[in-house]
Amino acid sequence: MQGTKYADTDTAYQFYHWRHINYDLSALAGRTVRIRLHYWGKNGDSMLLDDFEIIQKGGDVSETNINQGESVHYINYSTGTGLAYSWSFPGGQPETSQAENPIVTYRHEGVYDVSLTVTDANGLTSTATRPSYVNVHVAEPVADVNLPASGYYRVGGGISIPNNKWVTFSDASTNFPTQWDWTLNGANETQLSGEKATVYYPNQGYFSFNMTVANKAGSDTYESDSRAVKVGGAASYVWNLDENQGKDIKQVS
């Protein structure tokens, strides 16, 4: 396991790594467990305390609960010589695997079986099946918007586009929304279609927009500031880098 992203990218900090700790929780089976990480000492910037995972060994868990889009890391504990593995994951991506310890992503709500067939060097097979093992739940969406690719990102923030030209805003939300409600102030909203809003702005000016997404678990709204969209008018300082690319620009000394 790596340390922080900063430690990954800056060679001066690559001597910081996670320390792996093994602790047997079997005596607490069936009980709710809370884990608290507490740091004593100095030089706290050198400590990595905020990331850990618990691995269930032995395959005794009767089910696993995840949200849409999350993954399950399956660990094989079969015994034998020269084993070949054949996994089946209905509803997962991938749906089958020959890996010993595959990672499978589930994108749709539901309850799914898992099975593993192993074949040894002598051609003998054994199959283990876990019915209704994976329970995939819907999580509340988190709203986000992709700005039109045909526009230009402004140095002062937001996007600059010409008036009377069709542009498309698209949904970038997480947690799989199923409903979209767009409001694009100042736009001719004639082609609002679910995850995308294709519009044009007949007049020059600065405009805001918002989008509300929802699914069965709840809803969330993305609200821009009042100058998020600059339409037409005098030339302004613009660039064609998106927000993430712009963060990488640094002053040259």
Side-chain angles (χ1 to χ4, degrees):
M1 183 181 295
Q2 293 285 349
T4 64
K5 180 179 179 181
Y6 193 68
D8 288 343
T9 57
D10 191 323
T11 57
Y13 288 86
Q14 287 185 353
F15 57 87
Y16 296 115
H17 297 285
W18 293 107
R19 177 185 177 190
H20 294 261
I21 299 174
N22 295 319
Y23 189 83
D24 187 358
L25 299 176
S26 59
L28 303 175
R31 300 173 62 182
T32 299
V33 177
R34 292 182 179 178
I35 296 177
R36 181 175 66 179
L37 304 178
H38 195 100
Y39 169 71
W40 290 273
K42 301 178 181 180
N43 300 320
D45 288 343
S46 301
M47 302 300 296
L48 306 176
L49 296 174
D50 62 342
D51 194 12
F52 64 92
E53 64 177 346
I54 298 176
I55 298 176
Q56 170 71 34
K57 188 173 183 178
D60 295 330
V61 178
S62 60
E63 64 180 30
T64 185
N65 293 276
I66 61 173
N67 291 328
Q68 282 181 282
E70 293 183 340
S71 300
V72 177
H73 188 183
Y74 291 94
I75 306 296
N76 163 69
Y77 290 105
S78 306
T79 58
T81 303
L83 295 181
Y85 308 95
S86 178
W87 295 85
S88 176
F89 309 108
Q93 294 179 341
E95 291 192 344
T96 61
S97 176
Q98 283 71 51
E100 182 177 0
N101 301 307
I103 297 176
V104 181
T105 302
Y106 293 85
R107 297 180 60 85
H108 302 288
E109 180 188 17
V111 180
Y112 302 101
D113 301 342
V114 176
S115 67
L116 168 63
T117 298
V118 293
T119 304
D120 66 13
N122 298 315
L124 299 176
T125 64
S126 178
T127 299
T129 299
R130 295 287 182 87
S132 304
Y133 180 67
V134 181
N135 291 270
V136 183
H137 304 281
V138 176
E140 185 173 329
V142 178
D144 197 8
V145 174
N146 286 322
L147 297 177
S150 57
Y152 287 88
Y153 285 88
R154 297 170 26 237
V155 175
I159 195 167
S160 178
I161 59 176
N163 60 318
N164 290 314
K165 179 180 179 180
W166 289 99
V167 293
T168 299
F169 296 78
S170 60
D171 175 48
S173 307
T174 57
N175 294 339
F176 302 92
T178 56
Q179 299 175 30
W180 298 265
D181 183 15
W182 295 86
T183 300
L184 293 104
N185 297 311
N188 186 327
E189 303 179 5
T190 58
Q191 294 186 27
L192 302 185
S193 178
E195 300 173 67
K196 294 184 178 181
T198 301
V199 300
Y200 70 88
Y201 291 82
N203 301 311
Q204 299 178 6
Y206 290 91
F207 303 99
S208 62
F209 64 90
N210 64 63
M211 178 197 67
T212 298
V213 292
N215 60 24
K216 65 184 297 183
S219 63
D220 189 35
T221 299
Y222 181 98
E223 296 184 6
S224 77
D225 63 44
S226 61
R227 297 170 65 87
V229 181
K230 179 182 183 299
V231 180
S236 61
Y237 293 105
V238 298
W239 52 24
N240 59 351
L241 300 177
D242 66 28
E243 293 174 302
N244 291 326
Q245 291 172 315
K247 294 175 183 177
D248 296 330
I249 297 175
K250 297 179 177 60
Q251 181 177 349
V252 178
S253 58

